[in-house]
Amino acid sequence: SSSDENNDDSDVDISYGSDDNEGDLVLDLSNVGYDDDEAERRRKDAVDDDDDDEVIEEDEDNEVDKAKMHNIKNNDNDDASIGGGGGVEAELDDDHDTNEEEEDNNTGPARLSVFEQARQSLSLGCVPTVLPEREGERDQILKFMSQCIRAESPGSSLYIAGLPGTGKTASVKSCFSELKAKGEKFYPIIINSMDLSSDVHLYVKLCVALTSQKKKITKEVAFRTLKKKFTSKANLKRLPIILVIDEFDVLVSMSRKQKVIYNLAEWTCLPTSKLGLIMIANTMNLQELLLSRISSRLGHGRLFFKPYTRTQIENIIRQRLKNLKAFDEDAVRYCAAKVSVVSGDARRALEMCMKAATIANSEYTLSGENNNNENNDNNNNNNKQPPPPLPHQPCPVVMIEHVDRALELFSSTRSRAIYHLSYHEQLILCTLIIDKERTGNLETSLGNITSRYTSLCAHHDVSPSARREVITELLLRMN
């Protein structure tokens, strides 16, 4: 009957979860077949049995804990009778003394940390607040930027030329930082032409920088937006813009008609644009590269950066190192002399010093480990303490031989070839290496290179060259 079925169902205890299996469906069938009074009595007896088991388990745990404490006390007493200390405190003191002895014997790593500090100071990403040996050039750049901010001369443009590593881009960035520190209000924008897939991609980069547009926009939309912004009189109250185009010669070579450059030159001449243009390139012959209608609009503002001399490179290295005694003075002079004779490239000098510091660090670390191993062997054999270090023992520094070894690495044919590759060519070279390491094959397809190259550009936040023809051209040039 239905009533019997209801009674049977009421005797089945359904619960979700338990101590052992949390979240599982559990059916308690122990009380099925008994009336309510008998079932309740059986439940109480089961609960009492569980409580008794818990009490027994607690008593057993207490006895085990007491036995452990008794053993610990006996060990402490034995240690105290042997060493005359005070148990656990005596052991801690012994460990502390051992650590102090290890620190006294292992003097190498404490001294070698200066090499890592030197590497950080010499890094190209560490731009100093005060750029040495370029005070005159910085004054001219600051003067031009001030004129752009105050809109004193429409059609403001400045062409900066010089060999690689002469401080062109670093000087412009330091001027931006100085003006911002003084409270000047303007839009500083820096675009590297090596990051552009085509010349019209400059419109997209500039539009995104001015409008903070997160969505993807086409080059046509970007061009219309920029044209309206620079030609409309309603925008006279907005802040002035200083646009810096690095690697400007690359942008010039992207198109024969040079329409993008012409539009930029045209906009700088408009009073409503409030746009100042700074072009940075490695070539000196700008007039020969630009069309006549463009060069007439850009004006004749030019600034040339001469290669660094030996004395200037020495001062740059010393200014980076500051008070770090990581380099021997002869090593600094030797490095500056070698670089100044070849190119006067300060970046090459800093990279060479970083490599020399790495070589010295690994050399002194290896010698320090060997000395520690010898001291440990002598202590184990003779049970005697090693002799203390000499009080006037000189600290390890980068010597001329370390700079010479770094120079050999930079002077190899492969190193020079990689150094003179463009940024995208270096990325493609990285994709080839990654593909070889992952597949183990020396041959690959152009599709694999393109896909890996695109993902690598996305990882480094660089706009890839979407056309396969460009990638093929880069591969042929690298070959």
Side-chain angles (χ1 to χ4, degrees), residues 19 27 53 73 111 167 210 221 223 265 286 290 295 303 319 325 368 377 382 411 438:
D19 294 336
L27 302 179
D53 293 337
K73 290 181 179 180
R111 291 178 178 177
L210 291 176
V221 175
F223 172 72
L286 177 65
L290 295 176
S295 58
L303 179 60
Q319 195 271 344
K325 296 181 179 179
D377 294 338
N382 302 327
S411 300
R438 292 185 179 180

Side-chain angles (χ1 to χ4, degrees), residues 416-426 429 477-478:
R416 290 199 304 269
I418 295 174
Y419 182 80
H420 289 291
L421 290 177
S422 66
Y423 186 70
H424 285 273
E425 288 172 340
Q426 291 176 357
L429 183 61
R477 179 183 170 187
M478 291 168 61

Side-chain angles (χ1 to χ4, degrees), residues 396-410:
V397 293
V398 177
M399 306 298 291
I400 293 180
E401 52 266 25
H402 301 135
V403 179
D404 241 342
R405 289 162 60 183
L407 181 62
E408 292 177 359
L409 296 176
F410 279 94

Side-chain angles (χ1 to χ4, degrees), residues 307-314 333-346 348-349 352:
Y308 286 108
T309 63
R310 172 181 173 178
T311 305
Q312 289 175 333
I313 295 177
E314 289 182 18
R333 287 191 288 267
Y334 181 74
C335 178
K338 286 291 185 180
V339 174
S340 61
V341 170
V342 177
S343 61
D345 189 343
R348 175 61 64 90
M352 192 180 299

